[in-house]
Amino acid sequence: DVKVTQSSRYLVKRTGEKVFLECVQDMDHENMFWYRQDPGLGLRLIYFSYDVKMKEKGDIPEGYSVSREKKERFSLILESASTNQTSMYLCASAGGYGYTFGSGTRLTVV
Amino acid sequence: QKEVEQNSGPLSVPEGAIASLNCTYSDRVSQSFFWYRQYSGKSPELIMSIYSNGDKEDGRFTAQLNKASQYVSLLIRDSQPSDSATYLCAVKPPGGGNKLTFGTGTQLKVEL
């Protein structure tokens, strides 16, 4: 089975901090995704990547950036955290038949 | 119109009944459809995929696809309390690699 690992389960950060969320997959998948999930809004795509060093904006990229230096690792960066970025962040990896999600990072910005 | 629509629920069914979860999508040329189950506080997990019109069965789960009506559904037979979760419908639009668009999910409650 594909394993997708997110580095932190819970994070609390202060407004204005730079925040790094890490995601690692072990199945050599080319496609990786970052979503955030909020009550009533569902899963919204922030950024995705089709290959190393390639990235594309999703539906809500503002305030975020990403890095994919190695195939197995896809990082989400909050340049200057704000309270409206408090959310559940989900990383996913895709090999052709739907996604496998990581366990999620619940980020609280205070 | 949302790209993928689901009734948020909650949908309550008694144990042993059939639960029917519905999803409509807006892009007529979408080709791939997925159902995910998400327990409270957990991440989504893939339970079914369907690509062709008709029914696809896997154990107690049946996915149904009607491309003409732009409608996909999930039936859960012999519902169990452990099926209580939020079910997310996801659609792969044409092109765009493996990018999926998700509905907001239907909460299912299976009552004893």
Side-chain angles (χ1 to χ4, degrees), chain A residues 19-57:
Chain A
V19 182
F20 294 86
L21 303 183
E22 305 287 343
C23 177
V24 177
Q25 51 97 359
D26 66 358
M27 284 298 289
D28 201 36
H29 286 167
E30 293 182 343
N31 302 306
M32 296 186 74
F33 306 82
W34 275 106
Y35 284 84
R36 63 178 283 178
Q37 187 174 33
D38 302 286
L41 298 176
L43 283 158
R44 293 181 290 167
L45 181 63
I46 305 171
Y47 266 97
F48 58 105
S49 170
Y50 291 133
D51 206 343
V52 175
K53 297 190 185 296
M54 296 183 70
K55 59 185 178 184
E56 289 197 32
K57 294 179 180 179

Side-chain angles (χ1 to χ4, degrees), chain A residues 9 31 33 35 37 40-43 45 48 50 88 90 94-99 101-104, chain B residues 2-3 34 36 38 41-46 49 51 88 95-104:
Chain A
R9 188 77 178 92
N31 302 306
F33 306 82
Y35 284 84
Q37 187 174 33
L41 298 176
L43 283 158
L45 181 63
F48 58 105
Y50 291 133
M88 170 68 86
L90 290 161
Y97 295 96
Y99 291 175
F101 284 92
S103 56
Chain B
K2 292 182 180 178
E3 293 180 63
F34 304 88
Y36 287 81
Q38 186 174 24
K42 303 293 186 181
S43 60
E45 56 179 327
L46 180 66
S49 60
Y51 308 102
L88 303 172
N98 282 317
K99 188 172 67 170
L100 297 181
T101 300
F102 287 84
T104 54

